[in-house]
């Protein structure tokens, strides 16, 4: 069982927006603005999409955005495209003992 | 452009030690700004952080794996390595290495990642 809870799957049609939630606790997501999001296509390595809750690395489309409220972080993808179909994982700092926790992953299907 | 590449045996027997190496190219593993980490992903499952290290030798491990994990560095070869002892079938996974950023008072993001290597634990 993963430390951070994500929905197993979400879906949307091309052009629509979807949001993936990542629920933790006051010991991880709720205490630190150190949440990152990764996109993983089948058979490929994860790719950084968002860091520090809402910052986008150079080269990542501005259709991807991140936010946080309390113990829940969210990844929003606007203007869905077929290439966005992938698994998405959240990750958070969890303090000096546990260090790092991941979510269980969410499979995004573009209908 | 920084690149990471995992290498090591793809098959390990139960109770033995899994050993992998990550070779860093396009940058120095001795950079004062970065840490280096290992993450694994069992087939069809999610990501699990194994541990991270600094080039000076400081290490940080997932508490659930700490008793079996050792991460070391060879700065002369620009490599860092993972050893996982007493493996079982539950350790079968794709193992990734990645640069790990420590910023803002805590562990931050992983980027870039190696392509990953599948290690199967089986007799």
């Amino acid at each position: 069982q993963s430390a951070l809870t994500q929905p197993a799957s979400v879906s949307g049609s091309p052009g629509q927006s979807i949001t993936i939630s990542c629920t933790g606790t006051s010991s991880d997501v709720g205490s630190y603005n150190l949440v990152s999001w990764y996109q993983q296509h089948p058979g490929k390595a994860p790719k950084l999409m968002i860091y520090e809750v809402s910052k986008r690395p150079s080269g990542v489309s501005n259709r991807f955005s991140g936010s946080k409220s309390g113990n829940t972080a969210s990844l929003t993808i606007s203007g869905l495209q077929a290439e966005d179909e992938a698994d998405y994982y959240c990750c958070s700092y969890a303090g000096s003992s546990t260090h790092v926790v991941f979510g269980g992953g969410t499979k995004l299907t573009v209908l | 452009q920084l690149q990471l590449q995992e290498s090591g045996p793809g098959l390990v027997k139960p109770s033995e030690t899994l050993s992998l190496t990550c070779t860093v190219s396009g940058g120095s593993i001795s950079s004062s700004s970065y840490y280096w980490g290992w993450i694994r992903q069992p087939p069809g499952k999610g990501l699990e952080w194994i541990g991270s290290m600094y080039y000076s030798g400081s290490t940080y491990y997932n508490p659930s794996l700490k008793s079996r994990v050792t991460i070391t560095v060879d700065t002369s070869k620009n490599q860092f390595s993972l050893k996982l002892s007493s493996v079982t079938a539950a350790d079968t996974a794709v193992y990734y290495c990645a640069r790990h950023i420590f910023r803002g008072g805590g562990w931050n993001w992983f980027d870039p990642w190696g392509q990953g290597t599948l290690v199967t634990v089986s007799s």
Side-chain angles (χ1 to χ4, degrees), chain A residues 34 38 40 45 51-52 89, chain B residues 41 96 103 107-110 114:
Chain A
L34 298 176
Y38 302 88
Q40 185 180 36
Y51 67 98
E52 293 179 348
Y89 293 91
Chain B
Q41 184 174 36
Y96 295 99
R103 192 176 91 172
W107 292 110
N108 218 312
W109 68 91
F110 296 95

Side-chain angles (χ1 to χ4, degrees), chain A residues 33-36 38 40 43-48 50-52 55 89 91-93 95 97-100 102-104, chain B residues 39 41 45-49 52 60-63 96 100 102-111 113-116:
Chain A
N33 289 323
L34 298 176
V35 176
S36 51
Y38 302 88
Q40 185 180 36
K44 300 294 187 182
K47 174 188 175 184
L48 177 68
I50 295 287
Y51 67 98
E52 293 179 348
K55 298 178 181 178
Y89 293 91
C91 179
S92 175
Y93 178 56
S97 296
T98 304
H99 300 296
V100 177
F102 279 97
Chain B
I39 306 98
Q41 184 174 36
K45 296 187 178 181
L47 300 168
E48 179 181 34
W49 174 69
S52 298
Y60 307 84
Y61 299 135
N62 184 325
Y96 295 99
H100 198 183
F102 189 97
R103 192 176 91 172
W107 292 110
N108 218 312
W109 68 91
F110 296 95
D111 182 65
W113 296 57
Q115 65 183 29

Side-chain angles (χ1 to χ4, degrees), chain B residues 70-85:
Chain B
T70 303
I71 298 176
T72 57
V73 61
D74 186 337
T75 54
S76 68
K77 295 182 179 178
N78 226 32
Q79 295 175 334
F80 62 106
S81 298
L82 168 70
K83 290 188 184 299
L84 181 66
S85 64

Side-chain angles (χ1 to χ4, degrees), chain B residues 22-44:
Chain B
C22 182
T23 300
V24 179
S25 58
S28 173
I29 200 170
S30 302
S31 170
S32 61
S33 302
Y34 305 124
Y35 290 71
W36 308 91
W38 289 97
I39 306 98
R40 70 180 182 178
Q41 184 174 36

Side-chain angles (χ1 to χ4, degrees), chain A residues 16-88:
Chain A
Q16 288 186 331
S17 294
I18 62 95
T19 296
I20 299 171
S21 62
C22 170
T23 302
T25 69
S26 58
S27 297
D28 39 63
V29 174
S31 288
Y32 309 99
N33 289 323
L34 298 176
V35 176
S36 51
W37 288 90
Y38 302 88
Q39 177 191 64
Q40 185 180 36
H41 287 110
K44 300 294 187 182
K47 174 188 175 184
L48 177 68
M49 304 302 285
I50 295 287
Y51 67 98
E52 293 179 348
V53 175
S54 60
K55 298 178 181 178
R56 270 190 316 275
S58 174
V60 171
S61 170
N62 59 9
R63 298 185 298 104
F64 291 83
S65 62
S67 63
K68 191 186 86 167
S69 178
N71 295 338
T72 299
S74 299
L75 173 71
T76 297
I77 309 173
S78 59
L80 269 180
Q81 300 179 0
E83 67 208 49
D84 299 332
E85 186 163 292
D87 293 328
Y88 291 85

